């Protein structure tokens, strides 16, 4: 893939209003415009907050229109978190032509499993010749997930996560392990602020790690922060 262009990649921790998909889609749209990136990664359940009773979000939900428009303007692919029909915790792939359910979380937490069902397969997206594997939170802590995803051939492992501030070190530990085990870039969008499920103080600290496991760029702990990098 020597002829492919560098990939502009962003990880974002947007402000989130619990259960307000319309407001959150507008915040996502603003983040996409500001990021000026080809791929923009958002945290787990970013469109609803970590509200395990949130209604499902359909790929054709009209409330996503501002985000679709922003992706069209920016030429971006936004990877956003939402509950979807089936009951799955999912990552939607949003472009300028609309949204699709790209990936369903394979490893669920105990509270999540009371409502949601696990997805059954890893997913890799091809973006301008770059292979981007998808993950959601607990997936990143299960070695088999990265192994199965990497086996499909990936350059980037992109995850949307939620950790409490007291567990912030987990983000680094997992990203470092995945990057060095599979020699891939790791991009983690980590929820910031407060949300449901007892997460009164989420970790933030979204970042990008090199294939050597080193921190390449990192956001702080506040909602609204992001980082954009060019990899190649």
């Amino acid at each position: 893939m020597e002829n492919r262009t560098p990939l502009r990649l962003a990880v974002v921790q947007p402000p989130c209003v619990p259960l307000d998909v319309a407001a959150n889609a507008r915040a996502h749209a603003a983040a996409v415009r500001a990021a000026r990136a080809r791929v923009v990664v958002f945290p787990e359940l970013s469109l609803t907050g970590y509200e395990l009773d949130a209604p499902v979000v359909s790929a054709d939900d009209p409330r996503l229109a501002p985000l679709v428009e922003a992706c069209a303007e920016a030429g971006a692919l936004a990877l956003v978190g939402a509950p979807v029909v089936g009951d799955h915790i999912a990552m939607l792939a949003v472009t300028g032509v609309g949204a699709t359910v790209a990936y369903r979380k394979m490893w669920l937490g105990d509270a999540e499993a009371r409502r949601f069902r696990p997805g059954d397969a890893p997913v890799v997206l091809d973006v301008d010749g770059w292979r981007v594997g998808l993950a959601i939170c607990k997936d990143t802590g299960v070695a088999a997930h990265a192994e199965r995803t990497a086996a499909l051939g990936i350059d980037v492992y992109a995850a949307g996560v939620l950790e409490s501030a007291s567990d912030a070190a987990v983000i680094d530990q997992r990203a470092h392990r995945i990057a060095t085990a599979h020699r891939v870039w790791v991009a983690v969008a980590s929820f910031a602020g407060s949300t449901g499920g007892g997460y009164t103080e989420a970790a933030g600290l979204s970042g990008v790690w090199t294939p050597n496991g080193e921190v390449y760029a990192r956001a702080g702990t506040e909602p609204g922060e992001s980082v954009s990098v060019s990899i190649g």
Side-chain angles (χ1 to χ4, degrees):
M1 301 303 298
E2 293 179 358
N3 60 344
R4 69 183 174 187
T5 58
L7 180 68
R8 188 76 178 167
L9 177 66
V11 289
V12 180
Q13 47 198 51
C16 181
V17 181
L19 302 174
D20 193 336
V21 174
N24 295 330
R26 291 192 294 271
H28 282 52
V32 165
R33 290 189 172 95
R36 299 174 181 266
R38 179 69 176 94
V39 177
V40 187
V41 188
F42 290 86
E44 179 177 30
L45 293 176
S46 60
L47 285 173
T48 59
Y50 192 75
E51 312 295 335
L52 298 184
D53 59 349
V56 298
V57 178
S58 64
D60 60 356
D61 192 313
R63 293 173 294 181
L64 301 181
L67 178 54
V68 173
E69 292 168 7
C71 289
E73 291 175 17
L77 164 66
L79 299 172
V80 308
V84 300
V85 69
D87 272 319
H88 296 284
I89 294 174
M91 189 177 277
L92 300 180
V94 184
T95 69
V97 297
T100 58
V101 178
Y103 172 70
R104 296 163 177 85
K105 185 177 183 178
M106 296 176 67
W107 272 271
L108 301 174
D110 292 342
E112 297 166 359
R114 288 196 282 272
R115 171 187 172 183
F116 295 102
R117 297 190 300 127
D120 60 6
V123 170
V124 177
L125 303 180
D126 190 293
V127 184
D128 304 336
W130 290 83
R131 301 273 293 171
V132 181
L134 307 182
I136 301 172
C137 208
K138 190 175 179 179
D139 291 334
T140 66
V142 179
H145 183 271
E147 290 167 3
R148 290 180 61 185
T149 306
L152 300 175
I154 62 172
D155 305 293
V156 180
Y157 184 90
V161 310
L162 166 63
E163 298 289 349
S164 64
S166 60
D167 288 332
V170 168
I171 299 169
D172 264 308
Q173 292 163 1
R174 293 178 178 181
H176 181 272
R177 187 193 71 243
I178 293 163
T180 56
H182 303 289
R183 311 301 295 177
V184 296
W185 291 88
V186 175
V188 178
S190 173
F191 207 104
S194 63
T195 189
Y199 288 90
T200 56
E201 187 181 358
L205 300 175
S206 300
V208 177
W209 286 257
T210 72
N212 292 325
E214 299 168 349
V215 176
Y216 192 62
R218 175 144 51 198
T221 59
E222 297 302 312
E225 294 191 49
S226 66
V227 294
S228 297
V229 302
S230 184
I231 64 174

mmCIF file of all heavy atoms in Angstrom, residues 166-195:
data_model
loop_
_atom_site.group_PDB
_atom_site.id
_atom_site.type_symbol
_atom_site.label_atom_id
_atom_site.label_comp_id
_atom_site.label_asym_id
_atom_site.label_seq_id
_atom_site.Cartn_x
_atom_site.Cartn_y
_atom_site.Cartn_z
ATOM 1 N N SER A 166 -11.251 6.975 37.648
ATOM 2 C CA SER A 166 -10.392 6.162 38.519
ATOM 3 C C SER A 166 -9.780 4.974 37.789
ATOM 4 O O SER A 166 -8.800 4.397 38.262
ATOM 5 C CB SER A 166 -11.188 5.676 39.732
ATOM 6 O OG SER A 166 -12.294 4.884 39.324
ATOM 7 N N ASP A 167 -10.354 4.629 36.638
ATOM 8 C CA ASP A 167 -9.834 3.508 35.840
ATOM 9 C C ASP A 167 -9.161 3.986 34.556
ATOM 10 O O ASP A 167 -9.011 3.217 33.608
ATOM 11 C CB ASP A 167 -10.964 2.540 35.482
ATOM 12 C CG ASP A 167 -11.451 1.737 36.672
ATOM 13 O OD1 ASP A 167 -10.648 1.502 37.590
ATOM 14 O OD2 ASP A 167 -12.639 1.357 36.687
ATOM 15 N N ALA A 168 -8.744 5.244 34.520
ATOM 16 C CA ALA A 168 -8.179 5.810 33.295
ATOM 17 C C ALA A 168 -6.961 5.042 32.800
ATOM 18 O O ALA A 168 -6.726 4.955 31.582
ATOM 19 C CB ALA A 168 -7.818 7.274 33.519
ATOM 20 N N ALA A 169 -6.198 4.454 33.708
ATOM 21 C CA ALA A 169 -4.998 3.719 33.298
ATOM 22 C C ALA A 169 -5.330 2.535 32.408
ATOM 23 O O ALA A 169 -4.484 2.084 31.617
ATOM 24 C CB ALA A 169 -4.234 3.241 34.529
ATOM 25 N N VAL A 170 -6.555 2.026 32.521
ATOM 26 C CA VAL A 170 -6.972 0.883 31.700
ATOM 27 C C VAL A 170 -6.879 1.219 30.210
ATOM 28 O O VAL A 170 -6.506 0.376 29.388
ATOM 29 C CB VAL A 170 -8.408 0.457 32.075
ATOM 30 C CG1 VAL A 170 -8.978 -0.534 31.059
ATOM 31 C CG2 VAL A 170 -8.426 -0.131 33.477
ATOM 32 N N ILE A 171 -7.214 2.452 29.864
ATOM 33 C CA ILE A 171 -7.183 2.855 28.452
ATOM 34 C C ILE A 171 -5.773 2.700 27.899
ATOM 35 O O ILE A 171 -5.570 2.113 26.830
ATOM 36 C CB ILE A 171 -7.682 4.303 28.310
ATOM 37 C CG1 ILE A 171 -9.129 4.418 28.794
ATOM 38 C CG2 ILE A 171 -7.555 4.776 26.856
ATOM 39 C CD1 ILE A 171 -9.611 5.857 28.932
ATOM 40 N N ASP A 172 -4.804 3.236 28.612
ATOM 41 C CA ASP A 172 -3.404 3.133 28.191
ATOM 42 C C ASP A 172 -2.935 1.691 28.107
ATOM 43 O O ASP A 172 -2.275 1.292 27.138
ATOM 44 C CB ASP A 172 -2.500 3.884 29.171
ATOM 45 C CG ASP A 172 -2.183 5.289 28.702
ATOM 46 O OD1 ASP A 172 -1.736 5.445 27.561
ATOM 47 O OD2 ASP A 172 -2.395 6.222 29.484
ATOM 48 N N GLN A 173 -3.247 0.921 29.132
ATOM 49 C CA GLN A 173 -2.785 -0.466 29.182
ATOM 50 C C GLN A 173 -3.305 -1.265 27.997
ATOM 51 O O GLN A 173 -2.545 -2.005 27.353
ATOM 52 C CB GLN A 173 -3.232 -1.105 30.502
ATOM 53 C CG GLN A 173 -2.547 -0.523 31.729
ATOM 54 C CD GLN A 173 -3.286 -0.856 33.014
ATOM 55 O OE1 GLN A 173 -4.307 -1.531 33.015
ATOM 56 N NE2 GLN A 173 -2.759 -0.363 34.138
ATOM 57 N N ARG A 174 -4.576 -1.120 27.719
ATOM 58 C CA ARG A 174 -5.168 -1.887 26.614
ATOM 59 C C ARG A 174 -4.654 -1.412 25.260
ATOM 60 O O ARG A 174 -4.343 -2.227 24.392
ATOM 61 C CB ARG A 174 -6.694 -1.806 26.681
ATOM 62 C CG ARG A 174 -7.278 -2.504 27.895
ATOM 63 C CD ARG A 174 -8.794 -2.356 27.934
ATOM 64 N NE ARG A 174 -9.361 -3.072 29.072
ATOM 65 C CZ ARG A 174 -10.661 -3.129 29.341
ATOM 66 N NH1 ARG A 174 -11.530 -2.490 28.550
ATOM 67 N NH2 ARG A 174 -11.107 -3.807 30.377
ATOM 68 N N ALA A 175 -4.576 -0.095 25.082
ATOM 69 C CA ALA A 175 -4.094 0.427 23.800
ATOM 70 C C ALA A 175 -2.661 -0.017 23.538
ATOM 71 O O ALA A 175 -2.316 -0.423 22.418
ATOM 72 C CB ALA A 175 -4.197 1.951 23.788
ATOM 73 N N HIS A 176 -1.827 0.052 24.563
ATOM 74 C CA HIS A 176 -0.432 -0.355 24.407
ATOM 75 C C HIS A 176 -0.343 -1.832 24.047
ATOM 76 O O HIS A 176 0.425 -2.225 23.145
ATOM 77 C CB HIS A 176 0.339 -0.078 25.694
ATOM 78 C CG HIS A 176 1.790 -0.442 25.628
ATOM 79 N ND1 HIS A 176 2.260 -1.697 25.935
ATOM 80 C CD2 HIS A 176 2.882 0.284 25.257
ATOM 81 C CE1 HIS A 176 3.572 -1.737 25.765
ATOM 82 N NE2 HIS A 176 3.974 -0.544 25.361
ATOM 83 N N ARG A 177 -1.121 -2.657 24.728
ATOM 84 C CA ARG A 177 -1.076 -4.092 24.460
ATOM 85 C C ARG A 177 -1.513 -4.424 23.034
ATOM 86 O O ARG A 177 -0.866 -5.214 22.337
ATOM 87 C CB ARG A 177 -1.985 -4.839 25.448
ATOM 88 C CG ARG A 177 -1.870 -6.363 25.341
ATOM 89 C CD ARG A 177 -2.980 -7.090 26.069
ATOM 90 N NE ARG A 177 -4.258 -6.921 25.373
ATOM 91 C CZ ARG A 177 -5.315 -6.310 25.870
ATOM 92 N NH1 ARG A 177 -5.275 -5.759 27.073
ATOM 93 N NH2 ARG A 177 -6.417 -6.210 25.167
ATOM 94 N N ILE A 178 -2.597 -3.802 22.595
ATOM 95 C CA ILE A 178 -3.108 -4.085 21.246
ATOM 96 C C ILE A 178 -2.133 -3.588 20.184
ATOM 97 O O ILE A 178 -1.836 -4.290 19.208
ATOM 98 C CB ILE A 178 -4.495 -3.443 21.066
ATOM 99 C CG1 ILE A 178 -5.515 -4.134 21.987
ATOM 100 C CG2 ILE A 178 -4.952 -3.519 19.610
ATOM 101 C CD1 ILE A 178 -6.795 -3.347 22.190
ATOM 102 N N ALA A 179 -1.621 -2.381 20.370
ATOM 103 C CA ALA A 179 -0.693 -1.810 19.387
ATOM 104 C C ALA A 179 0.552 -2.678 19.225
ATOM 105 O O ALA A 179 0.968 -2.986 18.098
ATOM 106 C CB ALA A 179 -0.301 -0.397 19.806
ATOM 107 N N THR A 180 1.155 -3.065 20.342
ATOM 108 C CA THR A 180 2.412 -3.813 20.266
ATOM 109 C C THR A 180 2.207 -5.266 19.853
ATOM 110 O O THR A 180 3.049 -5.841 19.167
ATOM 111 C CB THR A 180 3.161 -3.754 21.607
ATOM 112 O OG1 THR A 180 2.303 -4.235 22.656
ATOM 113 C CG2 THR A 180 3.583 -2.330 21.928
ATOM 114 N N ALA A 181 1.076 -5.850 20.242
ATOM 115 C CA ALA A 181 0.820 -7.251 19.872
ATOM 116 C C ALA A 181 0.569 -7.408 18.386
ATOM 117 O O ALA A 181 0.954 -8.417 17.780
ATOM 118 C CB ALA A 181 -0.363 -7.794 20.666
ATOM 119 N N HIS A 182 -0.055 -6.400 17.783
ATOM 120 C CA HIS A 182 -0.478 -6.534 16.384
ATOM 121 C C HIS A 182 0.172 -5.512 15.451
ATOM 122 O O HIS A 182 -0.122 -5.509 14.250
ATOM 123 C CB HIS A 182 -2.003 -6.461 16.313
ATOM 124 C CG HIS A 182 -2.674 -7.492 17.167
ATOM 125 N ND1 HIS A 182 -2.664 -8.833 16.846
ATOM 126 C CD2 HIS A 182 -3.329 -7.392 18.357
ATOM 127 C CE1 HIS A 182 -3.304 -9.512 17.797
ATOM 128 N NE2 HIS A 182 -3.710 -8.665 18.715
ATOM 129 N N ARG A 183 1.038 -4.671 16.003
ATOM 130 C CA ARG A 183 1.792 -3.683 15.213
ATOM 131 C C ARG A 183 0.853 -2.804 14.394
ATOM 132 O O ARG A 183 1.009 -2.633 13.187
ATOM 133 C CB ARG A 183 2.819 -4.373 14.301
ATOM 134 C CG ARG A 183 3.690 -5.392 15.010
ATOM 135 C CD ARG A 183 4.481 -4.787 16.161
ATOM 136 N NE ARG A 183 5.456 -3.796 15.722
ATOM 137 C CZ ARG A 183 6.224 -3.097 16.547
ATOM 138 N NH1 ARG A 183 6.112 -3.246 17.852
ATOM 139 N NH2 ARG A 183 7.096 -2.235 16.072
ATOM 140 N N VAL A 184 -0.130 -2.248 15.084
ATOM 141 C CA VAL A 184 -1.121 -1.389 14.430
ATOM 142 C C VAL A 184 -1.263 -0.081 15.202
ATOM 143 O O VAL A 184 -0.930 0.010 16.392
ATOM 144 C CB VAL A 184 -2.506 -2.072 14.347
ATOM 145 C CG1 VAL A 184 -2.439 -3.322 13.465
ATOM 146 C CG2 VAL A 184 -3.053 -2.426 15.731
ATOM 147 N N TRP A 185 -1.761 0.928 14.515
ATOM 148 C CA TRP A 185 -2.175 2.149 15.184
ATOM 149 C C TRP A 185 -3.426 1.854 15.991
ATOM 150 O O TRP A 185 -4.280 1.059 15.560
ATOM 151 C CB TRP A 185 -2.483 3.241 14.160
ATOM 152 C CG TRP A 185 -1.279 3.758 13.441
ATOM 153 C CD1 TRP A 185 -0.730 3.252 12.293
ATOM 154 C CD2 TRP A 185 -0.469 4.874 13.808
ATOM 155 N NE1 TRP A 185 0.365 3.979 11.925
ATOM 156 C CE2 TRP A 185 0.555 4.986 12.836
ATOM 157 C CE3 TRP A 185 -0.507 5.793 14.856
ATOM 158 C CZ2 TRP A 185 1.520 5.988 12.898
ATOM 159 C CZ3 TRP A 185 0.450 6.789 14.911
ATOM 160 C CH2 TRP A 185 1.452 6.881 13.939
ATOM 161 N N VAL A 186 -3.561 2.485 17.144
ATOM 162 C CA VAL A 186 -4.752 2.332 17.977
ATOM 163 C C VAL A 186 -5.333 3.718 18.242
ATOM 164 O O VAL A 186 -4.617 4.630 18.674
ATOM 165 C CB VAL A 186 -4.433 1.619 19.301
ATOM 166 C CG1 VAL A 186 -5.668 1.581 20.209
ATOM 167 C CG2 VAL A 186 -3.936 0.203 19.041
ATOM 168 N N ALA A 187 -6.626 3.875 17.945
ATOM 169 C CA ALA A 187 -7.326 5.142 18.167
ATOM 170 C C ALA A 187 -8.476 4.886 19.129
ATOM 171 O O ALA A 187 -9.348 4.067 18.845
ATOM 172 C CB ALA A 187 -7.859 5.687 16.845
ATOM 173 N N VAL A 188 -8.466 5.577 20.255
ATOM 174 C CA VAL A 188 -9.480 5.372 21.286
ATOM 175 C C VAL A 188 -10.197 6.689 21.574
ATOM 176 O O VAL A 188 -9.569 7.663 21.989
ATOM 177 C CB VAL A 188 -8.867 4.823 22.587
ATOM 178 C CG1 VAL A 188 -9.947 4.658 23.659
ATOM 179 C CG2 VAL A 188 -8.162 3.501 22.344
ATOM 180 N N ALA A 189 -11.514 6.713 21.344
ATOM 181 C CA ALA A 189 -12.357 7.837 21.740
ATOM 182 C C ALA A 189 -13.009 7.470 23.059
ATOM 183 O O ALA A 189 -13.757 6.498 23.143
ATOM 184 C CB ALA A 189 -13.408 8.129 20.683
ATOM 185 N N SER A 190 -12.703 8.227 24.089
ATOM 186 C CA SER A 190 -13.102 7.903 25.457
ATOM 187 C C SER A 190 -14.066 8.959 25.999
ATOM 188 O O SER A 190 -13.796 10.159 25.921
ATOM 189 C CB SER A 190 -11.852 7.826 26.344
ATOM 190 O OG SER A 190 -12.179 7.671 27.695
ATOM 191 N N PHE A 191 -15.185 8.505 26.536
ATOM 192 C CA PHE A 191 -16.213 9.399 27.065
ATOM 193 C C PHE A 191 -15.619 10.330 28.133
ATOM 194 O O PHE A 191 -14.831 9.901 28.970
ATOM 195 C CB PHE A 191 -17.330 8.552 27.681
ATOM 196 C CG PHE A 191 -18.681 9.202 27.688
ATOM 197 C CD1 PHE A 191 -19.652 8.817 26.790
ATOM 198 C CD2 PHE A 191 -18.982 10.195 28.613
ATOM 199 C CE1 PHE A 191 -20.912 9.396 26.795
ATOM 200 C CE2 PHE A 191 -20.226 10.793 28.631
ATOM 201 C CZ PHE A 191 -21.207 10.397 27.724
ATOM 202 N N ALA A 192 -16.024 11.591 28.110
ATOM 203 C CA ALA A 192 -15.632 12.560 29.128
ATOM 204 C C ALA A 192 -16.877 13.169 29.753
ATOM 205 O O ALA A 192 -17.944 13.198 29.133
ATOM 206 C CB ALA A 192 -14.761 13.654 28.522
ATOM 207 N N GLY A 193 -16.751 13.654 30.965
ATOM 208 C CA GLY A 193 -17.903 14.223 31.657
ATOM 209 C C GLY A 193 -18.602 13.177 32.494
ATOM 210 O O GLY A 193 -17.983 12.231 32.982
ATOM 211 N N SER A 194 -19.910 13.307 32.653
ATOM 212 C CA SER A 194 -20.678 12.328 33.416
ATOM 213 C C SER A 194 -21.754 11.725 32.534
ATOM 214 O O SER A 194 -22.213 12.333 31.573
ATOM 215 C CB SER A 194 -21.326 12.986 34.643
ATOM 216 O OG SER A 194 -22.257 13.978 34.249
ATOM 217 N N THR A 195 -22.151 10.496 32.880
ATOM 218 C CA THR A 195 -23.190 9.814 32.116
ATOM 219 C C THR A 195 -23.836 8.777 33.020
ATOM 220 O O THR A 195 -23.540 8.698 34.218
ATOM 221 C CB THR A 195 -22.607 9.205 30.823
ATOM 222 O OG1 THR A 195 -23.672 8.719 29.999
ATOM 223 C CG2 THR A 195 -21.621 8.086 31.108
#
